[in-house]
mmCIF file of all heavy atoms in Angstrom:
data_model
loop_
_atom_site.group_PDB
_atom_site.id
_atom_site.type_symbol
_atom_site.label_atom_id
_atom_site.label_comp_id
_atom_site.label_asym_id
_atom_site.label_seq_id
_atom_site.Cartn_x
_atom_site.Cartn_y
_atom_site.Cartn_z
ATOM 1 N N GLY A 273 -28.826 8.348 -21.373
ATOM 2 C CA GLY A 273 -30.235 8.002 -21.165
ATOM 3 C C GLY A 273 -30.467 7.284 -19.853
ATOM 4 O O GLY A 273 -31.464 7.555 -19.155
ATOM 5 N N LEU A 274 -29.569 6.380 -19.485
ATOM 6 C CA LEU A 274 -29.721 5.666 -18.212
ATOM 7 C C LEU A 274 -29.555 6.608 -17.024
ATOM 8 O O LEU A 274 -30.262 6.476 -16.014
ATOM 9 C CB LEU A 274 -28.701 4.529 -18.134
ATOM 10 C CG LEU A 274 -28.953 3.353 -19.073
ATOM 11 C CD1 LEU A 274 -27.795 2.361 -19.026
ATOM 12 C CD2 LEU A 274 -30.252 2.646 -18.715
ATOM 13 N N LEU A 275 -28.639 7.568 -17.127
ATOM 14 C CA LEU A 275 -28.488 8.550 -16.052
ATOM 15 C C LEU A 275 -29.716 9.451 -15.956
ATOM 16 O O LEU A 275 -30.116 9.849 -14.855
ATOM 17 C CB LEU A 275 -27.230 9.388 -16.293
ATOM 18 C CG LEU A 275 -25.897 8.669 -16.056
ATOM 19 C CD1 LEU A 275 -24.735 9.558 -16.461
ATOM 20 C CD2 LEU A 275 -25.754 8.250 -14.592
ATOM 21 N N SER A 276 -30.308 9.758 -17.097
ATOM 22 C CA SER A 276 -31.552 10.540 -17.082
ATOM 23 C C SER A 276 -32.661 9.774 -16.367
ATOM 24 O O SER A 276 -33.397 10.340 -15.553
ATOM 25 C CB SER A 276 -31.972 10.863 -18.525
ATOM 26 O OG SER A 276 -33.230 11.481 -18.550
ATOM 27 N N PHE A 277 -32.768 8.492 -16.660
ATOM 28 C CA PHE A 277 -33.775 7.665 -15.982
ATOM 29 C C PHE A 277 -33.486 7.556 -14.485
ATOM 30 O O PHE A 277 -34.408 7.564 -13.660
ATOM 31 C CB PHE A 277 -33.801 6.275 -16.611
ATOM 32 C CG PHE A 277 -34.730 5.317 -15.928
ATOM 33 C CD1 PHE A 277 -36.102 5.395 -16.112
ATOM 34 C CD2 PHE A 277 -34.233 4.340 -15.075
ATOM 35 C CE1 PHE A 277 -36.959 4.519 -15.471
ATOM 36 C CE2 PHE A 277 -35.076 3.461 -14.431
ATOM 37 C CZ PHE A 277 -36.443 3.544 -14.630
ATOM 38 N N PHE A 278 -32.206 7.478 -14.117
ATOM 39 C CA PHE A 278 -31.829 7.398 -12.705
ATOM 40 C C PHE A 278 -32.249 8.671 -11.968
ATOM 41 O O PHE A 278 -32.787 8.604 -10.852
ATOM 42 C CB PHE A 278 -30.325 7.187 -12.588
ATOM 43 C CG PHE A 278 -29.809 7.192 -11.183
ATOM 44 C CD1 PHE A 278 -30.062 6.131 -10.330
ATOM 45 C CD2 PHE A 278 -29.059 8.254 -10.712
ATOM 46 C CE1 PHE A 278 -29.597 6.135 -9.024
ATOM 47 C CE2 PHE A 278 -28.585 8.266 -9.413
ATOM 48 C CZ PHE A 278 -28.853 7.202 -8.566
ATOM 49 N N CYS A 279 -32.026 9.834 -12.578
ATOM 50 C CA CYS A 279 -32.435 11.091 -11.944
ATOM 51 C C CYS A 279 -33.951 11.166 -11.819
ATOM 52 O O CYS A 279 -34.476 11.660 -10.808
ATOM 53 C CB CYS A 279 -31.909 12.274 -12.757
ATOM 54 S SG CYS A 279 -30.118 12.465 -12.720
ATOM 55 N N ALA A 280 -34.673 10.682 -12.833
ATOM 56 C CA ALA A 280 -36.133 10.687 -12.768
ATOM 57 C C ALA A 280 -36.637 9.762 -11.664
ATOM 58 O O ALA A 280 -37.597 10.088 -10.948
ATOM 59 C CB ALA A 280 -36.714 10.266 -14.121
ATOM 60 N N ALA A 281 -35.982 8.602 -11.500
ATOM 61 C CA ALA A 281 -36.374 7.675 -10.430
ATOM 62 C C ALA A 281 -36.110 8.284 -9.057
ATOM 63 O O ALA A 281 -36.935 8.156 -8.131
ATOM 64 C CB ALA A 281 -35.617 6.355 -10.590
ATOM 65 N N LEU A 282 -34.968 8.972 -8.899
ATOM 66 C CA LEU A 282 -34.693 9.652 -7.631
ATOM 67 C C LEU A 282 -35.719 10.749 -7.368
ATOM 68 O O LEU A 282 -36.133 10.962 -6.222
ATOM 69 C CB LEU A 282 -33.287 10.256 -7.674
ATOM 70 C CG LEU A 282 -32.118 9.330 -7.349
ATOM 71 C CD1 LEU A 282 -30.809 10.103 -7.378
ATOM 72 C CD2 LEU A 282 -32.289 8.661 -5.996
ATOM 73 N N HIS A 283 -36.118 11.442 -8.410
ATOM 74 C CA HIS A 283 -37.148 12.477 -8.264
ATOM 75 C C HIS A 283 -38.457 11.879 -7.751
ATOM 76 O O HIS A 283 -39.131 12.464 -6.893
ATOM 77 C CB HIS A 283 -37.368 13.168 -9.604
ATOM 78 C CG HIS A 283 -38.516 14.109 -9.619
ATOM 79 N ND1 HIS A 283 -38.616 15.200 -8.772
ATOM 80 C CD2 HIS A 283 -39.652 14.119 -10.373
ATOM 81 C CE1 HIS A 283 -39.747 15.845 -9.014
ATOM 82 N NE2 HIS A 283 -40.400 15.208 -9.974
ATOM 83 N N ALA A 284 -38.802 10.690 -8.252
ATOM 84 C CA ALA A 284 -40.020 10.021 -7.782
ATOM 85 C C ALA A 284 -39.909 9.654 -6.304
ATOM 86 O O ALA A 284 -40.857 9.823 -5.523
ATOM 87 C CB ALA A 284 -40.280 8.781 -8.620
ATOM 88 N N VAL A 285 -38.732 9.181 -5.892
ATOM 89 C CA VAL A 285 -38.521 8.808 -4.490
ATOM 90 C C VAL A 285 -38.595 10.044 -3.597
ATOM 91 O O VAL A 285 -39.241 10.035 -2.536
ATOM 92 C CB VAL A 285 -37.163 8.095 -4.330
ATOM 93 C CG1 VAL A 285 -36.853 7.862 -2.853
ATOM 94 C CG2 VAL A 285 -37.165 6.769 -5.078
ATOM 95 N N TYR A 286 -37.936 11.137 -4.019
ATOM 96 C CA TYR A 286 -37.973 12.368 -3.231
ATOM 97 C C TYR A 286 -39.382 12.947 -3.174
ATOM 98 O O TYR A 286 -39.770 13.557 -2.180
ATOM 99 C CB TYR A 286 -36.997 13.392 -3.826
ATOM 100 C CG TYR A 286 -35.615 13.305 -3.255
ATOM 101 C CD1 TYR A 286 -34.671 12.432 -3.776
ATOM 102 C CD2 TYR A 286 -35.238 14.100 -2.174
ATOM 103 C CE1 TYR A 286 -33.399 12.347 -3.256
ATOM 104 C CE2 TYR A 286 -33.961 14.038 -1.634
ATOM 105 C CZ TYR A 286 -33.047 13.151 -2.184
ATOM 106 O OH TYR A 286 -31.788 13.067 -1.648
ATOM 107 N N SER A 287 -40.143 12.775 -4.242
ATOM 108 C CA SER A 287 -41.521 13.285 -4.244
ATOM 109 C C SER A 287 -42.374 12.553 -3.217
ATOM 110 O O SER A 287 -43.299 13.131 -2.638
ATOM 111 C CB SER A 287 -42.124 13.128 -5.641
ATOM 112 O OG SER A 287 -41.402 13.896 -6.585
ATOM 113 N N LEU A 288 -42.089 11.273 -2.993
ATOM 114 C CA LEU A 288 -42.802 10.523 -1.953
ATOM 115 C C LEU A 288 -42.370 10.950 -0.560
ATOM 116 O O LEU A 288 -43.166 10.907 0.379
ATOM 117 C CB LEU A 288 -42.551 9.024 -2.144
ATOM 118 C CG LEU A 288 -43.151 8.396 -3.406
ATOM 119 C CD1 LEU A 288 -42.723 6.926 -3.498
ATOM 120 C CD2 LEU A 288 -44.670 8.492 -3.392
ATOM 121 N N CYS A 289 -41.116 11.363 -0.428
ATOM 122 C CA CYS A 289 -40.621 11.783 0.884
ATOM 123 C C CYS A 289 -41.166 13.151 1.286
ATOM 124 O O CYS A 289 -41.288 13.449 2.480
ATOM 125 C CB CYS A 289 -39.093 11.836 0.881
ATOM 126 S SG CYS A 289 -38.302 10.228 0.655
ATOM 127 N N LEU A 290 -41.488 13.993 0.301
ATOM 128 C CA LEU A 290 -41.923 15.354 0.602
ATOM 129 C C LEU A 290 -43.205 15.415 1.424
ATOM 130 O O LEU A 290 -43.240 16.071 2.474
ATOM 131 C CB LEU A 290 -42.093 16.133 -0.713
ATOM 132 C CG LEU A 290 -42.371 17.623 -0.579
ATOM 133 C CD1 LEU A 290 -41.230 18.310 0.154
ATOM 134 C CD2 LEU A 290 -42.559 18.243 -1.956
ATOM 135 N N PRO A 291 -44.312 14.732 1.038
ATOM 136 C CA PRO A 291 -45.522 14.780 1.891
ATOM 137 C C PRO A 291 -45.302 14.118 3.243
ATOM 138 O O PRO A 291 -45.919 14.515 4.233
ATOM 139 C CB PRO A 291 -46.560 14.018 1.058
ATOM 140 C CG PRO A 291 -45.782 13.187 0.105
ATOM 141 C CD PRO A 291 -44.547 13.968 -0.204
ATOM 142 N N MET A 292 -44.413 13.129 3.314
ATOM 143 C CA MET A 292 -44.132 12.499 4.604
ATOM 144 C C MET A 292 -43.476 13.496 5.548
ATOM 145 O O MET A 292 -43.802 13.561 6.738
ATOM 146 C CB MET A 292 -43.239 11.274 4.395
ATOM 147 C CG MET A 292 -43.902 10.149 3.616
ATOM 148 S SD MET A 292 -42.751 8.817 3.201
ATOM 149 C CE MET A 292 -42.269 8.298 4.834
ATOM 150 N N ARG A 293 -42.546 14.289 5.005
ATOM 151 C CA ARG A 293 -41.898 15.281 5.851
ATOM 152 C C ARG A 293 -42.883 16.350 6.301
ATOM 153 O O ARG A 293 -42.880 16.789 7.448
ATOM 154 C CB ARG A 293 -40.737 15.916 5.076
ATOM 155 C CG ARG A 293 -39.936 16.930 5.906
ATOM 156 C CD ARG A 293 -38.867 17.585 5.069
ATOM 157 N NE ARG A 293 -39.452 18.386 4.005
ATOM 158 C CZ ARG A 293 -39.949 19.608 4.180
ATOM 159 N NH1 ARG A 293 -39.942 20.156 5.391
ATOM 160 N NH2 ARG A 293 -40.453 20.286 3.185
ATOM 161 N N ARG A 294 -43.761 16.771 5.380
ATOM 162 C CA ARG A 294 -44.737 17.792 5.733
ATOM 163 C C ARG A 294 -45.742 17.273 6.760
ATOM 164 O O ARG A 294 -46.098 17.977 7.711
ATOM 165 C CB ARG A 294 -45.467 18.257 4.474
ATOM 166 C CG ARG A 294 -44.601 19.136 3.571
ATOM 167 C CD ARG A 294 -45.350 19.553 2.321
ATOM 168 N NE ARG A 294 -44.564 20.475 1.528
ATOM 169 C CZ ARG A 294 -44.919 20.914 0.325
ATOM 170 N NH1 ARG A 294 -46.074 20.491 -0.212
ATOM 171 N NH2 ARG A 294 -44.148 21.749 -0.339
ATOM 172 N N SER A 295 -46.231 16.042 6.597
ATOM 173 C CA SER A 295 -47.182 15.488 7.553
ATOM 174 C C SER A 295 -46.540 15.350 8.926
ATOM 175 O O SER A 295 -47.185 15.570 9.951
ATOM 176 C CB SER A 295 -47.676 14.126 7.054
ATOM 177 O OG SER A 295 -46.601 13.202 6.978
ATOM 178 N N HIS A 296 -45.244 15.003 8.955
ATOM 179 C CA HIS A 296 -44.549 14.903 10.238
ATOM 180 C C HIS A 296 -44.456 16.274 10.900
ATOM 181 O O HIS A 296 -44.628 16.403 12.122
ATOM 182 C CB HIS A 296 -43.158 14.317 10.012
ATOM 183 C CG HIS A 296 -42.364 14.160 11.274
ATOM 184 N ND1 HIS A 296 -42.706 13.240 12.252
ATOM 185 C CD2 HIS A 296 -41.262 14.802 11.738
ATOM 186 C CE1 HIS A 296 -41.846 13.318 13.258
ATOM 187 N NE2 HIS A 296 -40.956 14.273 12.959
ATOM 188 N N ARG A 297 -44.219 17.310 10.084
ATOM 189 C CA ARG A 297 -44.134 18.655 10.646
ATOM 190 C C ARG A 297 -45.488 19.101 11.185
ATOM 191 O O ARG A 297 -45.583 19.691 12.263
ATOM 192 C CB ARG A 297 -43.638 19.625 9.561
ATOM 193 C CG ARG A 297 -43.477 21.055 10.073
ATOM 194 C CD ARG A 297 -42.803 21.928 9.046
ATOM 195 N NE ARG A 297 -43.507 21.891 7.781
ATOM 196 C CZ ARG A 297 -43.162 22.606 6.716
ATOM 197 N NH1 ARG A 297 -42.106 23.396 6.791
ATOM 198 N NH2 ARG A 297 -43.842 22.515 5.593
ATOM 199 N N TYR A 298 -46.570 18.817 10.461
ATOM 200 C CA TYR A 298 -47.904 19.191 10.925
ATOM 201 C C TYR A 298 -48.282 18.426 12.194
ATOM 202 O O TYR A 298 -48.988 18.947 13.065
ATOM 203 C CB TYR A 298 -48.926 18.922 9.828
ATOM 204 C CG TYR A 298 -48.750 19.811 8.620
ATOM 205 C CD1 TYR A 298 -49.081 19.361 7.341
ATOM 206 C CD2 TYR A 298 -48.249 21.106 8.760
ATOM 207 C CE1 TYR A 298 -48.908 20.166 6.227
ATOM 208 C CE2 TYR A 298 -48.076 21.916 7.656
ATOM 209 C CZ TYR A 298 -48.405 21.450 6.394
ATOM 210 O OH TYR A 298 -48.238 22.257 5.306
#
Side-chain angles (χ1 to χ4, degrees):
L274 290 173
L275 288 174
S276 174
F277 176 76
F278 176 72
C279 292
L282 277 182
H283 172 59
V285 173
Y286 270 86
S287 298
L288 293 176
C289 295
L290 188 60
M292 294 172 61
R293 183 184 65 79
R294 287 179 175 174
S295 63
H296 181 68
R297 182 172 55 177
Y298 293 149

